Amino acid sequence: MKIKLTPELSYIIGFWRKRRTKEGIGVYGDSSFCEIFSKEILERGLTTSDKLLANADSVYFYHTAYRKFFQDVEDEQLERFKYLNEYAASYLAGMFDSAGGIDVKGFVYIDRPRKQDEMILIRLGFGARVRDGRLVVEKPRAFLAFVKNYVKVHAGHDAFKYIKTKG
């Protein structure tokens, strides 16, 4: 089975990366996170609804080829997402939806940061720094404009109303 990276799959991997379950390929969290993940993997044909397993606070499925592919993309993320394109935008939107937000002071952040997260944001020109256990984006308007068309959880946030994108 040959799996090809697409922007849609990039979103799923970014989303999964910050909320992964210990079993299978899945995410944990409240029902909204589980619903988004379930909807995305079912729409993309990664699994069927009868093979989707759920607990009180997680949803997951088993697929060896996708598990290896997801892990390979994560391992190669600095190389795969080094250009300002829809793949990087989708991946960052998935991470932002899964573990990010905009606080009351207007800081755009991603929780549970890893050094690779910071490197991706810096390489793409958004700047980043770890502050109080969060990765804070130094150019929030540029970042939000970049991910605007790909976010699902934060799409209704007021910050996006004033962000203009190309197209």
Side-chain angles (χ1 to χ4, degrees):
M1 172 179 202
K2 180 75 171 154
I3 303 169
K4 185 177 184 314
L5 187 64
T6 63
E8 296 81 15
L9 202 50
S10 295
Y11 177 86
I12 293 169
I13 294 169
F15 195 87
W16 163 81
R17 187 169 169 265
K18 291 292 185 180
R19 294 191 165 272
R20 74 173 64 169
T21 54
K22 290 181 179 165
E23 59 277 323
I25 304 169
V27 298
Y28 69 88
D30 65 31
S31 62
S32 63
F33 292 110
C34 294
E35 286 173 22
I36 288 171
F37 184 78
S38 300
K39 181 177 180 261
E40 290 296 314
I41 61 169
L42 291 173
E43 283 180 2
R44 307 294 169 234
L46 274 62
T47 191
T48 57
S49 59
D50 60 320
K51 293 184 179 181
L52 194 58
L53 305 168
N55 291 336
D57 63 347
S58 65
V59 63
Y60 59 96
F61 67 101
Y62 292 100
H63 196 290
T64 307
Y66 278 118
R67 177 67 177 203
K68 179 168 178 11
F69 183 75
F70 279 33
Q71 192 62 53
D72 288 347
V73 170
E74 181 183 7
D75 293 344
E76 301 164 357
Q77 66 184 312
L78 291 175
E79 200 55 38
R80 287 186 182 254
F81 305 112
K82 64 182 179 181
Y83 301 111
L84 291 170
N85 58 26
E86 61 185 354
Y87 294 89
S90 296
Y91 183 75
L92 290 175
M95 284 176 40
F96 181 63
D97 276 348
S98 179
I102 304 168
D103 70 12
V104 293
K105 294 181 181 177
F107 289 110
V108 174
Y109 65 88
I110 297 175
D111 280 332
R112 299 183 292 279
R114 293 186 182 165
K115 194 66 178 167
Q116 298 93 333
D117 303 339
E118 185 177 1
M119 290 302 302
I120 288 175
L121 291 170
I122 290 170
R123 284 183 177 180
L124 293 175
F126 301 118
R129 68 183 183 285
V130 177
R131 183 170 156 192
D132 298 328
R134 291 180 163 174
L135 184 61
V136 177
V137 179
E138 293 179 339
K139 295 183 179 176
R141 290 182 63 83
F143 176 80
L144 294 175
F146 185 60
V147 300
K148 180 181 181 180
N149 295 330
Y150 303 96
V151 293
K152 294 167 180 38
V153 174
H154 296 94
H157 194 281
D158 287 342
F160 286 102
K161 292 178 183 174
Y162 307 105
I163 303 293
K164 295 186 180 189
T165 57
K166 296 177 185 175

